[in-house]
């Protein structure tokens, strides 16, 4: 199976060990790092196990020097309101020869703020922030490479490390964006232009795309190092603005931050360039960087007012220990309902026997009205230690429910004083006997122990989400109709706290299937792609041993049979191990009883084909994390990342399945998109997203995702490098050149045909855990359409305009709008003023008669409109649009598309050359990318002597 899940298969999937299961990456970033009395505490820099330990001392020294110096830069940039006080550096457990200060308490790589990891094909050694959210949303993490940290030549490309770090910290912490353009980017171009009428003729002024409080002195240069070439008096696409080293300007750190004088963010007093078509203006509605920063909790309501001086940054080097897991299991009588205790026994045994890494420790606590330690912490060393623990997970129940009793034993006895300690709490009911969760909560939070909570059904105590959130843990929900796969998702989610394997040695879930029916012979196909295959493990679990008439078997791609299944009678499961699985279509077959009261559940895992090949992997999460969310105000965004190593998998089919815990009906399906529109931040980055807009009930929702290749998926292995153009000032923003093409990434992650690689026929399954929805809309349709951000003019004549954009939806980016209104004017201010009705060239009502406009959200729209009056030659026109849904709710106005018909028109009957701008709001800009402007006033083309009047 490589497409959507079969009709008979339940929408169940299993998480990767590396998933971020509904931890709420955005919220987690906020929770871990605190700004108290002007100092940031809890900043975590983690070094990947993929990094060679021989560079350890150089990397650690560079981290300390970089952040120590960045603290001074940050202090100045925030007007003396913030600095880095306490920073921890986490070494991988595989580094055994590097000195460290202390053992890590609960820090781990997957939840670090700054990650030191090998370079990516897209970014290479460029420092960057994973930033899939919107304006004001914190990023996922900052990525620095070992080469960047230890090579001064590499670092000099980007400017002083300290200023680079503050530039990235602003994105990660406060959710602001770059204030410069990118080569070959239509939405964020390197240059833009303004127009003025001088003596009755159009004068065009070319501006580099930046934000500064004073004009930046500099030159225009070609990437070859020579002077720029011009096309009809305009810089061509190889032209770059190269600022001088000495400037009067002091802002902005989100623009040309490497210039010596630049040490502030743009704000009201340091004039913000709201006309520049850059990410900050587009995503933050033209508000300045500081306007966003000062609304963050770090500074809102005059938090952390200025102080005279920062204190030196304290660094602590940590080394992660093996994980210690306390299984706190509910054995109250209600666990017999829906066979919960049997599911728990089966899943916990499998987890202990096959999933927990050697070296980790596991202890078992059972609770009803009271709690008892069934097994103290036991190091997983061999099969006998695993079996001894697994055999203690029985099905003998008891009365009453005291969750607090189980937690009390875990925190005050089993895990007291332990490092890297995790409680895995599984329960189905509400507390009815003291001690309660609230009685133990403060001790848990103070201990540093993380709590992973698993709620069976809809009646489990609502405090489970709260305790997971307060301890930086995770939360999962398991439907009572689940056959065990959702429970396994949760158990696997806890394994992220183990010291991580390299990605090549991580198990990847490539297939899952469930069947309940009357067929007596069941079989299905699954693909093994060329990135996986080592240590492939096929498992078939049944609800009754008598349901499987004979052992299941596999059919290899060449047609040969593999009949080596082994059976575990306690967990009713068959396994087939394949040391190296061939690439291609595999088939499994099982002979069943035909009794529809029983079911089977199949899953297949594998590691990378060789240790040198990274597997395609998927992880998923929701924007709300474990927090309760008011869906009337904050619609949840579902994310899924699909990459091979760090390289984006582009063009995959990614589908999320959302199910309410109390109503196990057919799951809602969301097709997640990587198109840079709606909920998606950047096209082609391998992070797919969509708004969740349908909430039938309040309560817990389970979110899962599936990714597969529907024939168009490919791996972006970076750009073709032209080494002939290794010259000074090859790029606009880096301080020194690199091989072309340019730095990454603007509105989309670029690629070219020479470096892309087919993703092959693959499938991946992943859990995003559960979300808690506290309030839902009282009526069915309260969400307006999303704003269109990519309106463009692609063709014009004197009486017609052809426009294109990505369709928005009836509810944000879902469904189909009822119509569009399009406005057109020679004066941009008229576009936003409803008094000027003559600016409307297409009304909502008339648009309903144009079927080409009414397509599903995410699809392309192209429409040609006839104009009542002919376009005037030599005049700039501005267009914007908004969408309306079926009850009249309207989107915000789109970006402005700007069309200019030159004074020297081309031959009649052909399309006229255009300047077309794709920017975020009602601003008068014209992007200079690969388009051409013809003007009789040729001497009017110039680089400005001062910033435009914004």
């Amino acid at each position: 199976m490589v497409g959507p899940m079969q009709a008979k298969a339940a929408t169940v999937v299993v998480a990767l060990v590396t998933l971020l299961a509904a931890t709420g990456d955005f919220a987690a970033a906020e929770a871990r790092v605190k700004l108290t009395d002007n100092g940031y505490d809890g900043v975590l820099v983690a070094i990947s196990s993929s990094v060679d330990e021989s560079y350890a001392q150089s990397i650690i020294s560079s981290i300390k020097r970089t952040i120590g110096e960045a603290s001074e830069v940050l202090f100045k940039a925030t007007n003396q309101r913030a600095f880095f006080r306490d920073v921890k550096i986490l070494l991988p457990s595989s580094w055994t020869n590097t000195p460290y200060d202390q053992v890590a308490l609960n820090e781990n790589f997957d939840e670090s703020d700054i990650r030191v990891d090998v370079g990516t094909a897209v970014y290479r050694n460029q420092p960057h922030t994973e930033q899939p959210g919107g304006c004001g949303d914190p990023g996922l993490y900052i990525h620095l490479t070992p080469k960047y940290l230890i090579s001064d030549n590499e670092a000099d490309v980007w400017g002083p490390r300290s200023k680079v770090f503050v530039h990235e910290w602003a994105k990660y912490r406060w959710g602001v964006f770059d204030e410069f353009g990118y080569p070959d980017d239509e939405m964020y171009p390197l240059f833009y232009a303004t127009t003025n009428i001088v003596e009755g003729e159009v004068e065009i002024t070319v501006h580099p795309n930046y934000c500064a409080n004073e004009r930046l002195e500099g030159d225009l240069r070609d990437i070859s190092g020579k002077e720029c070439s011009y096309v009809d008096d305009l810089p061509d696409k190889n032209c770059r603005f190269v600022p001088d080293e000495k400037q009067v300007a002091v802002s902005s750190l989100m623009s040309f931050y490497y210039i010596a004088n630049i040490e502030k963010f743009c704000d009201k007093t340091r004039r913000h360039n709201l006309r520049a078509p850059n990410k900050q203006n587009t995503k933050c509605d033209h508000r300045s960087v500081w306007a966003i920063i000062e609304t963050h909790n770090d500074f809102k309501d005059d938090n952390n007012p200025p102080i005279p001086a920062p204190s030196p940054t304290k660094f602590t080097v940590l080394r992660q220990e093996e994980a210690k897991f306390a299984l706190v299991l509910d054995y109250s009588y209600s666990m017999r309902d829906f066979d919960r205790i049997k599911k728990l026994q089966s899943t916990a045994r499998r987890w202990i026997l096959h999933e927990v890494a050697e070296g980790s420790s596991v202890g078992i606590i059972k609770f009803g009205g009271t709690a008892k330690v069934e097994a103290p912490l036991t190091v997983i060393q061999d099969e006998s230690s695993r079996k001894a623990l697994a055999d203690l997970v029985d099905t003998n129940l008891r009365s009453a429910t005291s969750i607090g009793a189980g937690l009390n034993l875990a925190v005050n006895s089993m895990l007291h004083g332990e490092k890297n300690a995790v409680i895995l709490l599984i329960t189905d009911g509400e507390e009815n006997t003291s001690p309660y969760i609230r009685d133990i909560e403060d001790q848990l939070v103070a201990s540093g122990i993380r709590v992973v909570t698993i709620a069976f059904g809809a009646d489990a105590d609502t405090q489970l989400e709260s305790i997971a959130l307060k301890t930086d843990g995770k939360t999962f929900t398991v439907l009572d109709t689940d056959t065990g796969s959702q429970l396994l998702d949760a158990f696997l989610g806890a394994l992220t706290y183990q010291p991580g394997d390299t990605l090549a040695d991580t198990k990847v879930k490539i297939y899952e299937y469930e069947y309940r029916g009357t067929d007596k012979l069941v079989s299905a196909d699954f693909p093994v792609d060329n990135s996986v295959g080592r240590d492939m493990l096929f498992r078939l679990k049944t609800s009754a041993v008598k349901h499987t008439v004979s052992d299941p078997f596999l059919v290899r791609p060449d047609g040969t049979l593999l009949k080596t299944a082994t059976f575990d009678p306690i967990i009713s499961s068959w396994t087939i191990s394949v040391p190296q699985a061939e690439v291609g279509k595999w088939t499994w077959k099982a002979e069943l009883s035909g009794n529809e009261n029983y079911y089977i559940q199949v899953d297949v895992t594998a590691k990378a084909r060789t240790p040198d090949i990274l597997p395609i992997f998927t992880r998923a999460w929701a924007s709300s994390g474990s927090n309760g969310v008011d869906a009337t105000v904050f619609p949840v965004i579902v994310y899924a990342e699909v990459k091979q190593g760090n390289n984006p998998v582009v063009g995959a089919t990614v589908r999320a399945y959302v199910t309410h815990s109390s109503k196990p009906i057919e799951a809602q399906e969301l097709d997640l998109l990587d198109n840079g529109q709606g909920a998606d931040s950047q096209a082609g980055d391998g992070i797919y997203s969509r708004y969740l807009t349908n909430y039938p009930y309040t309560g817990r929702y389970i979110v899962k995702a599936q990714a597969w290749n529907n024939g168009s998926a490919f791996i972006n292995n970076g750009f073709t490098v032209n080494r002939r153009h290794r010259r000074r000032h090859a790029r606009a923003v880096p301080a020194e050149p690199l091989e072309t093409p340019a730095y990454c990434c603007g509105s989309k992650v670029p690629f070219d045909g020479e470096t892309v690689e087919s993703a092959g026929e693959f499938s991946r399954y992943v859990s995003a855990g559960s979300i808690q929805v506290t309030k839902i809309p009282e009526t069915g349709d309260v969400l307006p359409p999303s704003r269109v951000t990519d309106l463009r003019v692609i063709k014009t004549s004197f009486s017609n305009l052809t426009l294109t954009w990505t369709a928005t939806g009836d509810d944000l980016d879902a469904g189909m709008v009822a119509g569009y209104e399009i406005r057109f004017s020679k004066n941009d201010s008229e576009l936003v003023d409803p008094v000027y009705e003559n600016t409307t060239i297409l009304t909502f009502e008339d648009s309903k008669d144009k079927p080409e406009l009414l397509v599903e959200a995410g699809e392309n729209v192209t429409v040609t409109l006839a104009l009542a009056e002919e376009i005037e030659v030599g005049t700039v026109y501005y267009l914007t649009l908004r969408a309306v849904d079926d009850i009249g709710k309207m989107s915000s106005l789109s970006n402005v598309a700007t069309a200019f018909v030159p004074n020297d028109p081309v031959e009649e009957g052909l399309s006229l050359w255009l300047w077309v701008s794709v920017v975020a709001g009602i601003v008068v800009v014209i992007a200079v990318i690969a388009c051409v402007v013809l003007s009789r006033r040729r001497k009017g083309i110039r680089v400005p002597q001062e910033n435009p009047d914004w």
Side-chain angles (χ1 to χ4, degrees):
M1 183 197 69
V2 296
M5 299 179 181
Q6 297 98 319
K8 290 185 179 180
T11 53
V12 290
V13 294
V14 176
L16 294 175
V17 172
T18 56
L19 65 84
L20 294 181
T23 56
D25 293 344
F26 303 154
E30 295 286 318
R32 289 189 299 269
V33 179
K34 301 292 186 183
L35 183 62
T36 306
D37 297 330
N38 302 94
Y40 279 113
D41 297 319
V43 178
L44 179 62
V45 184
I47 303 173
S48 169
S49 57
S50 299
V51 176
D52 191 332
E53 189 178 3
S54 63
Y55 300 108
Q57 291 302 330
S58 296
I59 290 172
I60 293 169
S61 296
S62 182
I63 291 170
K64 291 180 177 180
R65 183 171 58 253
T66 296
I67 300 181
E69 294 172 354
S71 186
E72 296 283 350
V73 176
L74 182 68
F75 190 67
K76 291 180 181 178
T78 58
N79 304 316
Q80 300 176 265
R81 297 178 69 178
F83 64 94
F84 296 113
R85 178 166 44 222
D86 180 73
V87 176
K88 294 179 172 62
I89 302 173
L90 181 66
L91 308 182
S93 61
S94 58
W95 284 15
T96 57
N97 298 316
T98 304
Y100 57 92
D101 299 317
Q102 61 190 51
V103 173
L105 175 61
N106 56 23
E107 294 81 2
N108 66 85
F109 182 85
D110 282 343
E111 294 182 344
S112 58
D113 307 291
I114 300 98
R115 301 183 187 178
V116 180
D117 203 351
V118 294
T120 71
V122 171
Y123 286 95
R124 301 188 183 95
N125 292 297
Q126 176 187 337
H128 63 278
T129 301
E130 285 285 351
Q131 198 174 8
C135 185
D137 291 328
L140 301 183
Y141 57 87
I142 299 170
H143 185 147
L144 305 177
T145 70
K147 186 173 183 180
Y148 170 78
L149 287 169
I150 64 180
S151 168
D152 289 341
N153 288 336
E154 185 69 40
D156 286 346
V157 169
W158 308 102
R161 289 190 183 97
S162 58
K163 298 179 81 171
V164 171
F165 189 86
V166 172
H167 178 87
E168 298 302 327
W169 180 263
K171 301 179 194 176
Y172 170 72
R173 180 67 179 179
W174 303 312
V176 297
F177 296 89
D178 291 331
E179 292 183 301
F180 49 70
Y182 300 84
D184 300 314
D185 196 301
E186 293 183 351
M187 186 172 288
Y188 312 125
L190 287 175
F191 299 93
Y192 67 103
T194 56
T195 61
N196 294 289
I197 306 298
V198 179
E199 297 177 357
E201 296 191 12
V202 177
E203 180 181 83
I204 302 169
T205 304
V206 178
H207 305 274
N209 189 355
Y210 66 80
C211 186
N213 64 311
E214 299 289 345
R215 173 180 59 87
L216 297 182
E217 300 285 351
D219 301 316
L220 297 186
R221 293 190 189 178
D222 190 270
I223 58 175
S224 65
K226 302 176 182 178
E227 292 186 356
C228 281
S229 299
Y230 289 76
V231 177
D232 293 297
D233 297 320
L234 296 173
D236 69 11
K237 67 179 181 178
N238 293 323
C239 188
R240 305 288 185 267
F241 173 65
V242 182
D244 295 342
E245 293 181 3
K246 295 183 179 180
Q247 302 286 349
V248 176
V250 296
S251 66
S252 168
L253 282 168
M254 299 312 295
S255 190
F256 291 101
Y257 52 83
Y258 58 81
I259 297 172
N261 280 16
I262 301 296
E263 56 184 17
K264 297 287 186 178
F265 299 110
C266 276
D267 61 16
K268 293 179 181 178
T269 58
R270 289 178 287 274
R271 295 182 299 168
H272 170 60
N273 183 358
L274 58 83
R275 285 188 170 184
N278 53 49
K279 274 190 181 182
Q280 175 63 24
N281 280 331
T282 298
K283 292 183 176 296
C284 293
D285 197 25
H286 302 279
R287 290 180 292 167
S288 70
V289 167
W290 187 253
I292 304 304
I293 294 174
E294 66 182 354
T295 62
H296 190 277
N297 289 334
D298 288 348
F299 307 115
K300 185 173 63 176
D301 300 326
D302 293 325
N303 286 339
N304 297 291
I307 59 173
S311 60
T313 306
K314 176 188 175 184
F315 293 94
T316 306
V317 179
L318 309 175
R319 184 174 180 273
Q320 190 175 14
E321 277 196 351
E322 300 294 343
K324 289 88 175 177
F325 295 103
L327 298 186
V328 180
L329 310 179
D330 188 346
Y331 268 67
S332 60
Y333 284 139
S334 59
M335 285 291 288
R336 63 189 168 197
D337 296 341
F338 304 99
D339 286 332
R340 292 167 182 161
I341 191 60
K342 292 183 180 179
K343 295 173 186 177
L344 174 59
Q345 181 192 41
S346 176
T347 304
R349 285 182 59 85
R350 169 175 167 172
W351 185 77
I352 294 169
L353 290 171
H354 302 291
E355 307 296 348
V356 182
E358 288 193 10
S360 293
S361 298
V362 176
I364 300 173
I365 296 171
K366 299 176 183 177
F367 69 88
T370 58
K372 180 183 178 182
V373 174
E374 294 290 336
L377 279 179
T378 303
V379 179
I380 301 296
Q381 295 177 319
D382 50 28
E383 292 303 315
S384 62
S385 60
R386 292 179 184 273
K387 187 175 186 304
L389 284 168
D391 287 345
L392 294 173
V393 185
D394 56 26
T395 58
N396 300 320
L397 301 178
R398 58 200 69 174
S399 62
T401 304
S402 175
I403 299 174
L407 293 174
N408 181 57
L409 269 183
V411 70
N412 290 313
S413 178
M414 182 175 290
L415 299 177
H416 181 69
E418 296 287 351
K419 305 292 187 180
N420 200 12
V422 181
I423 292 173
L424 190 49
L425 170 64
I426 301 96
T427 183
D428 73 331
E430 297 180 352
E431 299 179 289
N432 54 32
T433 304
S434 65
Y436 300 100
I437 292 175
R438 63 177 180 268
D439 300 325
I440 311 300
E441 183 176 290
D442 290 345
Q443 295 179 60
L444 269 174
V445 174
S447 70
I449 299 170
R450 296 179 186 269
V451 182
V452 177
T453 65
I454 303 174
F456 268 113
D459 296 328
D461 202 292
T462 56
Q463 292 184 81
L464 295 180
E465 283 82 7
S466 174
I467 196 65
L469 180 65
K470 291 179 179 179
T471 61
D472 288 338
K474 303 177 182 181
T475 183
F476 295 85
T477 299
V478 178
L479 296 176
D480 282 325
T481 55
D482 174 50
T483 60
S485 61
Q486 292 172 0
L487 187 57
L488 182 60
D489 288 349
F491 270 86
L492 292 177
L495 295 182
T496 58
Y497 301 121
Q498 293 181 146
D501 283 330
T502 61
L503 187 56
D505 286 324
T506 299
K507 292 181 182 179
V508 178
K509 189 69 62 173
I510 64 174
Y511 178 73
E512 185 165 293
Y513 181 88
E514 179 181 313
Y515 178 77
R516 184 193 297 266
T518 59
D519 291 347
K520 293 188 175 182
L521 180 62
V522 179
S523 67
D525 301 328
F526 62 91
V528 175
D529 59 274
N530 59 12
S531 76
V532 295
R534 182 165 51 101
D535 295 340
M536 188 177 83
L537 186 64
F538 166 89
R539 291 188 181 93
L540 185 150
K541 177 179 175 294
T542 181
S543 58
V545 176
K546 61 183 179 182
H547 185 46
T548 49
V549 176
S550 61
D551 294 358
F553 62 92
L554 298 177
V555 182
R556 299 179 186 269
D558 64 5
T560 59
L561 305 184
L562 190 60
K563 294 187 174 183
T564 58
T566 59
F567 182 65
D568 183 334
I570 298 179
I571 61 176
S572 301
S573 177
W574 279 262
T575 60
I576 300 176
S577 298
V578 184
Q580 189 67 270
E582 297 92 328
V583 174
K585 183 174 69 175
W586 286 68
T587 302
W588 63 269
K589 295 186 178 183
E591 189 176 358
L592 306 178
S593 67
N595 189 331
E596 62 182 2
N597 294 319
Y598 303 132
Y599 62 82
I600 60 170
Q601 193 271 325
V602 175
D603 63 77
V604 181
T605 61
K607 296 179 182 178
R609 180 155 296 277
T610 71
D612 297 327
I613 296 178
L614 297 179
I616 294 173
F617 72 97
T618 304
R619 61 173 183 161
W621 67 96
S623 60
S624 64
S626 301
N627 292 302
V629 62
D630 179 351
T632 65
V633 180
F634 301 107
V636 174
I637 300 175
V638 179
Y639 294 93
E641 181 181 58
V642 188
K643 291 185 176 180
Q644 182 179 29
N646 287 318
N647 298 346
V649 176
V650 184
T653 301
V654 183
R655 185 166 294 162
Y657 303 89
V658 184
T659 308
H660 192 270
S661 60
S662 66
K663 304 288 182 180
I665 56 177
E666 183 177 349
Q668 298 181 51
E669 295 184 358
L670 287 178
D671 285 327
L672 309 185
L673 302 177
D674 185 17
N675 63 354
Q677 301 297 317
D680 192 63
S681 178
Q682 185 180 60
D685 63 355
I687 298 178
Y688 299 72
S689 57
R690 204 74 180 259
Y691 285 105
L692 178 60
T693 58
N694 185 17
Y695 305 90
Y697 315 98
T698 59
R700 296 183 176 106
Y701 285 82
I702 300 168
V703 185
K704 299 173 179 288
Q706 178 191 6
W708 71 94
N709 186 358
N710 212 15
S712 59
F714 63 88
I715 301 163
N716 185 351
N717 288 320
F719 319 118
T720 302
V721 175
N722 185 350
R723 297 185 179 274
R724 293 178 298 173
H725 287 162
R726 188 178 177 88
R727 297 289 189 271
R728 182 170 177 78
H729 302 308
R731 299 183 178 191
V733 169
E736 295 291 338
L738 280 180
E739 300 91 340
T740 58
Y743 54 95
C744 200
C745 293
S747 62
K748 58 185 177 182
V749 177
F751 62 89
D752 61 52
E754 295 185 38
T755 59
V756 300
E757 174 189 350
S758 172
E761 188 178 7
F762 76 89
S763 62
R764 298 291 186 268
Y765 301 80
V766 66
S767 167
S770 61
I771 60 175
Q772 178 82 1
V773 178
T774 60
K775 187 176 181 180
I776 60 175
E778 293 182 1
T779 59
D781 193 347
V782 300
L783 300 173
S786 292
R787 176 174 176 261
V788 170
T789 61
D790 63 345
L791 174 64
R792 291 188 296 129
V793 182
I794 59 173
K795 185 178 180 182
T796 188
S797 68
F798 288 109
S799 58
N800 293 282
L801 287 174
T802 301
L803 312 178
T804 187
W805 65 89
T806 301
T808 184
D810 180 272
D811 295 316
L812 299 173
D813 58 5
M816 183 187 301
V817 299
Y820 291 94
E821 176 190 75
I822 300 176
R823 301 180 182 183
F824 178 74
S825 176
K826 292 183 284 187
N827 185 341
D828 66 310
S829 63
E830 293 181 354
L831 296 180
V832 296
D833 193 335
V835 173
Y836 294 95
E837 295 181 357
N838 59 342
T839 62
T840 301
I841 59 173
L842 182 69
T843 66
F844 290 128
E845 193 63 33
D846 290 340
S847 70
K848 296 176 181 179
D849 297 326
K850 291 185 174 293
E852 64 269 33
L853 294 176
L854 307 180
V855 298
E856 287 291 323
E859 296 183 13
N860 181 259
V861 175
T862 300
V863 63
T864 298
L865 302 177
L867 302 175
E869 298 181 4
E870 287 192 348
I871 292 176
E872 298 177 15
V873 173
T875 302
V876 179
Y877 289 86
Y878 310 98
L879 298 97
T880 188
L881 63 77
R882 57 181 176 173
V884 67
D885 67 13
D886 54 3
I887 65 168
K889 290 188 175 293
M890 291 182 289
S891 71
S892 301
L893 287 168
S894 75
N895 64 285
V896 171
T898 308
F900 173 66
V901 179
N903 290 321
D904 301 330
V906 296
E907 181 180 348
E908 182 67 25
L910 300 177
S911 297
L912 299 176
W913 287 105
L914 297 174
W915 256 354
V916 179
S917 171
V918 182
V919 288
I922 307 300
V923 293
V924 187
V925 296
I926 303 177
V928 182
I929 307 168
C931 302
V932 179
V933 170
L934 303 176
S935 173
R936 190 167 62 233
R937 191 179 179 85
R938 297 186 184 278
K939 293 183 179 180
I941 309 297
R942 59 188 176 88
V943 175
Q945 295 304 303
E946 60 183 41
N947 275 347
D949 183 15
W950 50 71

